[in-house]
């Protein structure tokens, strides 16, 4: 890559290498999700409740022989596409019970058939699989010598432009070469095991079955604030003493408004989702530092849609104020800048990956180096992008975009997953020493 492409330092040494590991959307991957005569997940209005009850009445009007014949037909039609469909049918009928008018006691088969009418298949990544972030896997058994297992989170888009969160796994070898694990054929959504409504919105706890492969797990919108999408999760492995927790800030989109929310997990089996409070949380693109600084949580945010701010807080869920530390400076970022994931701790300081928007809204990826003890001090900054769309990467759902929601350090390299034109994802590796040499104050 030439220096003009941003992939070489002043001495001409190449420090960024694109990999040939493309992750593309697969419309054959489907989940079975709740359906009711309304836009999920909002409640039914009276007309919609009437429609739901008409469905129940029609099922109850079938004789037992017709019900018994219909169920095997449904199961045969969806054979091999989902786990435990009968169990899911019954659970869905139970979930809908509050919307049903008074009715006779369902037989087991009636309950299963009723539940089937309030579910639908959804191809959650039919349109796009993009905006990845990467963290070390909590289970490193089977990692290659000198290497590491990783988890990749991705934003998936299906029908109606609804975004959900999905995962991939793989390995990074000692030399930085990457391999992804086979993706599970099936996909599933979690059970909601806890839900609390508060003045700031709903907090929910989700749990997947341990036997489901991580690549099966899909976190689909389950609250009103998320109803049109869970977007751009920025995962980070957070260390607090001996305790390690995985957090991810993400954008919740209701179809009318956006806000930042937080995911917490320790095992990628159970997840807690909660809204964030404060002025900074009314926008998108927040990224948490991987540890406390001076005894406080620290966040990079962009509450004014243009500049990057450093914010401290004693409360992980409340983010106000802040200090502007990075503003658009170079032509490739004149429209706005934002973060591209949580800062990565290096010996030299905090490496903050950024995105810049330039002419014709072309998105590129750059970087800044922040002081390790006082991140408000900018020690160095890339004058040219580290990564910008190549000719082969300019076409897609949103042209002229490369974007990431977070990289990670591995030995002497930065592993950088990135999205191409809001359509599919790829990887690049960056030599840290060469990057440091190339960045200028």
């Amino acid at each position: 890559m030439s220096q003009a492409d941003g992939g070489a330092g002043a001495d001409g040494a190449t420090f960024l290498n694109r990999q040939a590991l493309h992750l593309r959307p697969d419309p054959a991957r489907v989940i079975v999700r709740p359906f009711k005569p309304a836009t999920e997940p909002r409640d039914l209005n009276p007309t919609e409740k009437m429609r739901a009850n008409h469905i129940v009445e029609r099922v109850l009007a079938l004789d037992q022989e017709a019900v018994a014949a219909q169920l095997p037909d449904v199961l045969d039609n969806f054979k091999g596409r989902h786990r435990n469909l009968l169990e899911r049918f019954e659970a869905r009928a139970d979930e809908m019970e509050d919307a049903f008018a008074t009715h006779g006691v369902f037989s087991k088969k009636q309950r299963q058939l009723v539940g089937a009418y309030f579910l639908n298949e959804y191809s959650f990544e039919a349109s796009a699989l993009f905006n990845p972030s990467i963290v070390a896997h909590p289970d490193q058994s089977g990692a290659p010598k000198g290497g590491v297992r990783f988890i990749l989170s991705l934003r998936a888009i299906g029908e109606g432009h609804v975004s959900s969160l999905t995962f991939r796994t793989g390995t990074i070898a000692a030399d930085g070469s990457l391999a992804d694990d086979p993706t599970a054929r099936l996909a599933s959504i979690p059970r909601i095991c806890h839900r609390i409504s508060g003045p700031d919105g709903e907090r929910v706890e989700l749990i997947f079955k341990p036997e489901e492969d991580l690549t099966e797990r899909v976190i689909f919108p389950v609250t009103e604030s998320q109803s049109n999408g869970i977007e751009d999760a920025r995962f980070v492995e957070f260390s607090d003493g001996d305790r390690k927790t995985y957090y991810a800030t993400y954008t919740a989109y209701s179809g009318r408004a956006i806000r930042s929310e937080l995911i917490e997990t320790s095992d990628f089996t159970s997840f807690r989702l909660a809204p964030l409070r404060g002025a900074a949380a009314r926008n998108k693109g927040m990224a948490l530092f991987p540890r406390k600084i001076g005894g406080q949580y620290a966040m990079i945010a962009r509450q004014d849609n243009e500049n990057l701010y450093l914010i401290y807080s004693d409360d992980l869920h409340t983010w106000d104020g802040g200090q502007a530390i990075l503003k658009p400076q170079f032509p490739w970022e004149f429209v706005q800048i934002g973060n591209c994931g949580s800062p990565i701790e290096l010996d030299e300081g905090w490496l903050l990956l950024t995105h810049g928007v330039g002419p014709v809204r072309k998105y590129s990826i750059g970087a800044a180096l922040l002081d390790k003890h006082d991140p408000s001090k900018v020690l160095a900054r890339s004058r040219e992008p580290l990564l910008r769309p190549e000719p082969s990467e300019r076409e897609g759902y949103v042209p002229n975009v490369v974007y990431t929601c977070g990289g990670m350090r591995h030995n002497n390299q930065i592993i950088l997953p990135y999205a191409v034109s809001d359509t599919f994802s790829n990887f690049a590796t960056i030599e840290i020493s060469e990057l440091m040499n190339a960045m200028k104050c």
Side-chain angles (χ1 to χ4, degrees):
M1 187 181 295
S2 68
Q3 186 168 352
D5 284 333
D11 61 359
T14 300
F15 63 77
L16 185 143
N17 179 40
R18 280 175 165 87
Q19 305 288 304
L21 184 58
H22 300 134
L23 304 178
R24 299 186 182 277
D26 180 2
R29 302 196 72 217
V30 292
I31 56 173
V32 60
R33 59 174 285 209
F35 160 77
K36 55 190 178 186
T39 303
E40 288 281 350
R42 70 173 175 82
D43 292 333
L44 294 168
N45 64 35
T47 300
E48 293 158 348
K49 279 190 177 182
M50 188 187 327
R51 290 184 59 202
N53 280 285
H54 288 165
I55 296 170
V56 175
E57 291 166 4
R58 289 164 191 148
V59 173
L60 291 178
L62 295 173
D63 59 42
Q64 292 299 324
E65 290 76 12
V67 171
Q70 185 66 22
L71 265 175
D73 183 67
V74 174
L75 292 174
D76 186 62
N77 191 35
F78 293 94
K79 183 178 180 180
R81 295 173 67 83
H82 307 282
R83 293 180 185 270
N84 306 316
L85 265 183
L86 285 177
E87 177 186 316
R88 188 70 189 92
F89 291 168
E90 289 192 61
R92 183 57 181 152
D94 292 342
E95 292 166 1
M96 287 294 295
E97 191 63 49
D98 287 345
F100 296 158
T102 302
H103 59 79
V105 177
F106 290 144
S107 70
K108 188 177 184 67
K109 285 185 168 56
Q110 283 175 328
R111 179 170 294 279
Q112 292 168 344
L113 190 56
V114 165
Y117 280 100
F118 293 97
L119 292 166
N120 72 286
E121 276 197 337
Y122 185 82
S123 182
F124 61 94
E125 60 179 65
S127 298
L129 191 65
F130 65 121
N131 291 3
S133 69
I134 189 171
V135 291
H137 201 300
D139 178 6
Q140 286 298 313
S141 58
K145 184 177 180 181
V148 65
R149 295 182 67 208
F150 68 80
I151 293 175
L152 193 75
S153 71
L154 297 125
R155 176 180 170 186
I157 289 184
E159 176 190 357
H161 196 79
V162 177
S163 297
S164 59
L165 180 62
T166 186
F167 302 97
R168 297 289 189 274
T169 59
T171 57
I172 308 169
D175 63 359
S177 57
L178 293 107
D180 61 330
D181 297 330
T183 303
R185 181 175 56 84
L186 300 178
S188 62
I189 57 176
R191 177 173 60 88
I192 301 173
C193 58
H194 203 54
R195 187 193 291 264
I196 300 176
S197 296
D200 303 304
E202 290 183 295
R203 297 169 178 259
V204 295
E205 185 169 348
L206 312 175
I207 189 163
F208 291 90
K209 294 180 178 179
E211 64 267 23
E212 294 170 347
D213 188 82
L214 182 53
T215 63
E216 288 186 50
R217 302 171 191 175
V218 181
I219 299 179
F220 204 81
V222 292
T223 70
E224 180 70 24
S225 66
Q226 308 162 357
S227 54
N228 272 60
I230 293 175
E231 303 178 356
D232 302 342
R234 289 159 160 81
F235 271 91
V236 63
E237 182 181 319
F238 187 90
S239 298
D240 190 1
D242 294 332
R243 180 172 178 261
K244 289 190 176 182
T245 306
Y246 295 90
Y247 291 111
T249 51
Y250 65 93
T251 301
Y253 178 47
S254 69
R256 300 176 303 278
I258 60 169
R259 71 177 186 193
S260 288
E261 298 188 347
L262 188 72
I263 296 174
E264 176 186 348
T265 184
S266 60
D267 56 8
F268 287 85
T269 299
S270 62
F271 297 82
R272 289 153 295 284
L273 283 65
L276 295 179
R277 300 180 292 270
R282 299 185 193 119
N283 212 313
K284 58 172 65 177
M286 302 180 75
L288 184 68
F289 278 73
R291 61 174 174 83
K292 290 182 178 179
I293 299 174
Q296 291 183 297
Y297 297 103
M299 188 85 80
I300 298 292
R302 193 189 66 198
Q303 52 263 55
D304 64 1
N305 286 311
E306 186 176 10
N307 308 299
L308 284 177
Y309 288 73
L310 172 67
I311 311 175
Y312 291 103
S313 178
D314 294 319
D315 176 2
L316 183 59
H317 293 90
T318 303
W319 298 92
D320 282 304
Q323 173 186 357
I325 60 171
L326 286 167
K327 299 181 179 182
Q329 183 176 347
F330 305 112
W332 57 276
E333 58 185 15
F334 275 178
V335 174
Q336 68 183 44
I337 58 172
N339 76 70
C340 270
S342 293
I344 301 169
E345 188 165 10
L346 307 177
D347 295 339
E348 296 84 354
W350 294 105
L351 178 67
L352 177 65
L353 297 170
T354 65
H355 72 261
V357 183
V360 201
R361 289 195 63 79
K362 181 179 179 180
Y363 276 67
S364 303
I365 298 174
L369 186 67
L370 311 179
D371 185 86
K372 188 174 291 193
H373 304 290
D374 180 4
S376 67
K377 296 179 180 178
V378 180
L379 305 179
R381 188 168 175 176
S382 56
R383 294 179 178 271
E384 294 292 333
L386 311 182
L387 192 70
R388 67 181 79 187
E390 288 192 332
S392 63
E393 297 176 336
R394 297 188 63 179
E395 313 304 336
Y397 191 56
V398 181
N400 305 310
V401 174
V402 289
Y403 196 87
T404 182
C405 286
M408 64 177 281
R409 180 179 186 172
H410 176 60
N411 296 333
N412 61 348
Q413 294 183 327
I414 299 297
I415 308 301
L416 180 67
Y418 69 96
V420 176
S421 295
D422 281 12
T423 302
F424 68 93
S425 296
N426 195 19
F427 290 83
T429 55
I430 300 172
E431 294 290 335
I432 293 173
S433 60
E434 296 293 341
L435 174 60
M436 293 297 103
N437 289 335
M439 292 174 66
K440 305 294 181 182
C441 294

